[in-house]
Amino acid sequence: MLTADEKQRYGRQIILNGWGEEGQEKLKRSTVFIAGAGGLGSPVAIYLAAAGVGQLRICDSGTPELSNLNRQVLHSDADIGRNKALSARETIARINPLVTVEPLEEHIVKENVARLVDNADIIVDCMDNFSTRHILNEYAFLKGLPFIHAGVTGMSGQITFIHTPETPCLFCFVPKSTPSAIFPIIGATAGVIGTLEALEALKYLTGKGTLLKNRMLFWDGELMQFHEVPLQNDPHCKVCGKP
Ligand SMILES: [Zn+2]
């Protein structure tokens, strides 16, 4: 049940057709695993918290550096040198104290992914490298969990909603892990794509709207254009293909 304060705080989304108090209660009971508290993780965590998702498991082993602050809006100057997940918890507490944040100060590896994701209803990819994404993708597939994939660079980005076997898994269309490198990124780009990820997570959790399944949405910020391409299962995929 929602309290009187919650009905007021979330009033403008509760009146959305197909959302209602029922949708809001679903959010309150939900747990989201946010993999990374950087450029994408910042808008994802902020918008999910503001919308009233009850539990956020925010995972990041890193510490904010001065060169992160153009896009990682969960953190500020005073947070430099601290852990990002802990810094995120403080920021979220200021935005919405009703949300429980579980800060996870760990690097995601095969050995700990099950413990880190724990009871989450959905995994949101806010990573900057494909090797960790593949660990999350494989775990999501094994557990039948939805996995929102996104990536950004410069003034462009991509996003898709993965829920295998209904959709291809990440490995079906990105079978390689490119080595991580320093890439250009405008903060607003991470804001656009991260906000879309947050919206997809809210849609999944409330049951409102049509999810971005079986298609990759690309955004080109220089031309200010969206376009999408259909995605298909790879029957020989080493993660989700039939042996
Ligand atoms: Zn696959």
Side-chain angles (χ1 to χ4, degrees), residues 1-75:
M1 287 292 288
L2 300 174
T3 64
D5 272 5
E6 286 169 330
K7 286 179 191 171
Q8 201 174 344
R9 177 185 283 264
Y10 308 122
R12 292 288 287 270
Q13 56 199 53
I14 287 171
I15 58 173
L16 182 64
N17 192 22
W19 193 290
E21 288 188 19
E22 197 188 329
Q24 197 59 47
E25 284 166 8
K26 285 182 190 165
L27 290 187
K28 188 177 176 178
R29 290 193 297 270
S30 295
T31 301
V32 176
F33 182 78
I34 302 175
L40 289 169
S42 290
V44 167
I46 288 169
Y47 278 109
L48 294 184
V53 172
Q55 288 74 229
L56 298 178
R57 297 179 64 75
I58 302 179
C59 187
D60 203 309
S61 62
T63 57
E65 296 169 18
L66 196 54
S67 62
N68 295 155
L69 299 186
N70 78 323
R71 62 196 183 281
Q72 303 190 8
V73 294
L74 274 170
H75 320 296

Side-chain angles (χ1 to χ4, degrees), residues 137 141 164 167-173 232-241:
N137 173 67
F141 170 69
T164 319
T167 75
C169 82
L170 181 67
F171 202 84
C172 287
F173 52 88
Q232 282 175 341
N233 288 74
D234 174 3
H236 306 294
C237 173
K238 81 166 193 190
V239 175
C240 74

Side-chain angles (χ1 to χ4, degrees), residues 17 29 32 57 87 118 123 126 130 151-152 160 188 199 206 225 227:
N17 192 22
R29 290 193 297 270
V32 176
R57 297 179 64 75
S87 162
D118 195 32
I123 298 172
C126 303
F130 274 94
V152 284
T160 186
L199 189 58
T206 58
Q225 285 177 343
H227 74 278

